[in-house]
Amino acid sequence: MVMKEQLFYLPLLLLFLLHSTKTLAQPAAAPGPPAPTNVTKILEKAGQFSLLIRLMKATAVADQIDHQLNDTNNGMTLFAPSDNAFASLSTGTLNSLNDQQKVALVQFHVIPTYIPLSQFQTVSNPIRTNAGDSSRYKYPLNITSYGNSVNLTTGITNTSVSGTVYTDGQLAVYQVDQVLLPWDLFGTKPPAPAPAPAKSKKKKADETPDDTTLATSAALRPKVTLQNVVFWGVAMVAATMFSL
């Protein structure tokens, strides 16, 4: 009886072992493609950037950054002002800007290439941001680096990188404790060029007289000559009469 039970369970044991061998032999599933980078989720996870996130979403710059990150190989660098940085702005600073100017303000914090901390020493100033024209009185951003200290200046704002929020070789997010204010939006406009001096219409003494002056002088000459003739004629007649 025992022998029959053992013979009964033997096929089941062989079937189990065969199934287990096939399962172990199957290759592991290939990992799926990496999720697209989402800059606002990175900032939300870090905390203390709620005002920047709100501004990035309102201006659609967040979508612009994600598009550039996922469709190009240049990478990006974002200088992220903290909530305290926005709170330190003068009252009404952001409200004084129109929609286009708010877009430019956020874009001014974005460099369209990936720059690790160790490479800030090699950048050429003024560095170009997504705001565009980096010439004087427009959107110049100058960066100086000494060791791990990275300083930023716009001509209006002077601040430094206070920490690394995120970096993955494609996107670098650095915290700054002041909002970077570009000159074009907050600086004094350059003085207008002085007008050219008006040309003087007064003739110089040695200038050649015009045709009108010559004609007038010519008309006066006969009159003066005739008067002289009459005067000398009368004088000669009177002298003859007195001599008789």
Side-chain angles (χ1 to χ4, degrees), residues 18-30:
L18 180 62
H19 178 74
S20 300
T21 303
K22 289 183 177 180
T23 302
L24 294 173
Q26 290 180 353

Side-chain angles (χ1 to χ4, degrees), residues 5-234:
E5 289 180 354
Q6 291 176 348
L7 293 175
F8 175 77
Y9 287 111
L10 182 60
L12 294 177
L13 180 60
L14 292 175
L15 182 62
F16 174 77
L17 292 174
L18 180 62
H19 178 74
S20 300
T21 303
K22 289 183 177 180
T23 302
L24 294 173
Q26 290 180 353
T37 303
N38 187 307
V39 68
T40 55
K41 287 185 177 180
I42 292 172
L43 292 172
E44 287 172 354
K45 185 177 180 180
Q48 67 178 338
F49 297 104
S50 59
L51 293 176
L52 175 61
I53 294 171
R54 189 186 311 168
L55 192 58
M56 291 177 69
K57 289 182 176 180
T59 57
V61 174
D63 295 335
Q64 184 183 93
I65 293 174
D66 292 341
H67 175 76
Q68 288 181 257
L69 280 173
N70 296 307
D71 292 353
T72 65
N73 295 321
N74 295 330
M76 303 198 76
T77 300
L78 170 66
F79 296 112
S82 63
D83 289 339
N84 289 335
F86 280 99
S88 66
L89 291 174
S90 301
T91 304
T93 298
L94 294 181
N95 292 334
S96 67
L97 303 178
N98 58 37
D99 291 343
Q100 184 177 359
Q101 291 172 329
K102 289 178 181 178
V103 171
L105 175 63
V106 180
Q107 289 177 330
F108 189 55
H109 291 72
V110 182
I111 299 175
T113 55
Y114 171 75
I115 306 177
L117 279 175
S118 60
Q119 292 185 11
F120 276 114
Q121 294 179 348
T122 63
V123 299
S124 299
N125 288 315
I127 194 167
R128 190 175 182 85
T129 68
N130 274 12
D133 192 347
S134 59
S135 61
R136 188 181 183 189
Y137 300 121
K138 287 296 184 179
Y139 295 90
L141 176 62
N142 292 282
I143 300 177
T144 55
S145 177
Y146 305 95
N148 292 327
S149 176
V150 179
N151 301 314
L152 313 172
T153 179
T154 71
I156 298 175
T157 303
N158 294 299
T159 188
S160 59
V161 171
S162 57
T164 300
V165 178
Y166 178 86
T167 181
D168 62 1
Q170 181 73 4
L171 170 66
V173 180
Y174 301 111
Q175 179 177 336
V176 290
D177 294 329
Q178 292 189 48
V179 179
L180 303 179
L181 303 180
W183 191 278
D184 187 64
L185 301 182
F186 299 97
T188 304
K189 300 303 179 185
K199 294 183 178 179
S200 176
K201 296 183 179 180
K202 184 178 180 180
K203 292 182 178 295
K204 296 180 180 179
D206 58 350
E207 284 185 347
T208 303
D210 57 20
D211 294 340
T212 303
T213 304
L214 293 174
T216 303
S217 300
L220 290 175
R221 283 197 203 99
K223 293 180 181 180
V224 175
T225 303
L226 181 60
Q227 289 175 353
N228 291 338
V229 171
V230 172
F231 174 78
W232 286 108
V234 172

